[in-house]
């Protein structure tokens, strides 16, 4: 791997910010290949050089996987001139070049967005063949009738004639206005178009899980955190 700044490498892994790295270097708590570091900007190869932070071997991973609780009004993109994007919400200590959202939520949809720099992983989880299940909570303007619920489960036909794969829908409230929907495909505005085909409009939409990995309930809207290797497996396995 190419040489990179030590502070950038350490900060890219999420636990320490660049300021933390500078402080730790001043305190003599960072070593590379057994020698204490005096310059936090020194160039190292994260794969072959042995980095030690506070007496522990520093585990470097080539890619990063971030769980974001997306607020309304933020665009699912890496860049969008004049608009705030999900990548803009990634704090400095997790930020690295090449981050993008693996799959999109509409600007007015909230909830779980996975941000990564691992193109192969994103391709894998988004490919139509392997499309992982995603769970949403939708608040509708009117309840979906029993016949339409059944259509949902066998495959709704959208206004443009597209036949959706069977999806799961479960009313969560007695008035039938709040429903849980599980989808295995990700067409543009899919839930809004599926519910429209059943005569209901989506007032609010929130993604609460990807595969069997749930959105961390301790994340406030706009907050994000790293996804662990075990959690990542929960998405891949589904
Ligand atoms: N379906 C939609 O209609 N919008 C989303 O953001 C996600 C799924």
């Amino acid at each position: 791997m190419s040489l990179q700044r030590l502070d950038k490498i350490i900060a890219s892994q999420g636990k320490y910010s660049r300021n933390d790295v500078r402080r730790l270097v001043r305190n003599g708590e960072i070593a590379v290949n057994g020698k204490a570091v005096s310059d936090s900007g020194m160039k190292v190869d994260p794969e072959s050089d042995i980095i030690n932070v506070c007496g522990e071997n520093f585990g470097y991973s080539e890619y990063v996987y971030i769980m974001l609780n997306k607020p309304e009004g933020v665009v699912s993109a890496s860049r969008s001139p004049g608009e705030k994007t999900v990548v803009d919400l990634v704090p400095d200590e997790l930020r690295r070049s090449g981050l993008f959202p693996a799959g999109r939520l509409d600007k007015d949809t909230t909830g779980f967005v996975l941000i990564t720099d691992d193109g192969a992983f994103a391709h894998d989880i988004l490919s139509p063949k392997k499309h992982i299940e995603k769970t949403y909570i939708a608040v509708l303007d009117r309840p979906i009738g029993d016949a339409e619920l059944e259509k949902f489960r066998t495959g709704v036909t959208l206004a443009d004639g597209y036949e959706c794969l069977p999806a799961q829908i479960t009313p969560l409230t007695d008035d039938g206005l709040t429903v849980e929907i599980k989808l295995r495909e990700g067409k543009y505005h899919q839930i809004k178009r599926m519910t429209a085909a059943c005569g209901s409009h989506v007032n609010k939409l929130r993604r609460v899980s990807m595969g069997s990995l749930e959105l961390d309930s301790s994340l406030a809207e706009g907050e994000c955190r790293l996804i662990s290797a075990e959690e990542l497996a929960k998405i891949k396995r589904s």
Side-chain angles (χ1 to χ4, degrees):
M1 203 166 187
S2 59
L3 294 177
Q4 296 174 40
R5 286 179 64 105
L6 177 68
D7 53 0
K8 182 164 184 245
I9 290 169
I10 296 178
S12 76
Q13 304 298 291
K15 187 168 174 188
Y16 302 102
S17 67
R18 286 197 187 198
N19 277 340
D20 292 334
V21 177
R22 278 192 279 277
R23 180 177 45 78
L24 291 167
V25 164
R26 274 198 305 276
N27 296 344
E29 293 186 275
I30 301 188
V32 173
N33 300 327
K35 280 177 107 177
V37 170
S38 57
D39 173 10
S40 62
M42 82 178 278
K43 296 283 176 67
V44 297
D45 180 334
E47 286 188 343
S48 59
D49 289 318
I50 299 167
I51 303 171
N52 191 284
V53 180
C54 300
E56 285 182 7
N57 220 356
F58 184 72
Y60 170 80
S61 67
E62 189 175 1
Y63 297 115
V64 71
Y65 308 89
I66 297 166
M67 174 190 286
L68 166 74
N69 185 0
K70 177 189 170 303
E72 244 186 274
V74 174
V75 179
S76 290
S78 305
R79 265 186 301 272
S80 183
E83 296 190 288
K84 187 166 261 193
T85 72
V86 290
V87 171
D88 292 333
L89 295 177
V90 175
D92 282 351
E93 61 272 20
L94 298 185
R95 194 177 282 266
R96 34 164 102 182
S97 64
L99 289 179
F100 63 92
R104 286 163 183 264
L105 290 182
D106 296 337
K107 193 171 172 180
D108 58 355
T109 301
T110 62
F112 192 165
V113 174
L114 194 157
I115 298 171
T116 184
D117 52 354
D118 183 348
F121 169 79
H123 181 264
D124 204 32
I125 63 165
L126 297 174
S127 89
K129 274 194 192 146
K130 286 208 198 142
H131 228 301
I132 58 153
E133 187 173 78
K134 292 170 206 123
T135 307
Y136 297 83
I137 306 292
V139 180
L140 308 172
D141 66 338
R142 67 181 67 179
I144 296 180
D146 287 345
E148 279 76 22
L149 285 177
E150 202 40 43
K151 261 209 275 178
F152 228 92
R153 293 174 183 135
T154 51
V156 172
T157 304
L158 301 181
D160 63 1
Y162 177 76
E163 291 191 16
C164 299
L165 291 175
Q168 291 181 41
I169 181 163
T170 313
L172 297 178
T173 50
D174 289 344
D175 59 10
L177 292 177
T178 305
V179 292
E180 180 193 77
I181 295 171
K182 287 179 184 281
L183 286 188
R184 280 197 175 269
E185 46 186 352
K187 302 274 176 236
Y188 180 64
H189 287 339
Q190 182 147 3
I191 290 184
K192 290 173 185 160
R193 292 194 292 150
M194 286 170 88
T195 53
C198 296
S200 294
H201 173 82
V202 172
N203 284 337
K204 272 193 175 160
L205 188 59
R206 179 166 181 74
R207 181 153 73 195
V208 293
S209 53
M210 296 181 72
S212 55
L213 180 60
E214 288 176 15
L215 177 65
D216 186 333
S217 59
S218 70
L219 288 178
E221 283 192 358
E223 285 184 352
C224 54
R225 69 155 173 83
L226 285 176
I227 294 175
S228 70
E230 298 83 64
E231 288 178 322
L232 205 61
K234 284 184 163 189
I235 298 180
K236 284 184 177 164
R237 261 202 311 269
S238 61

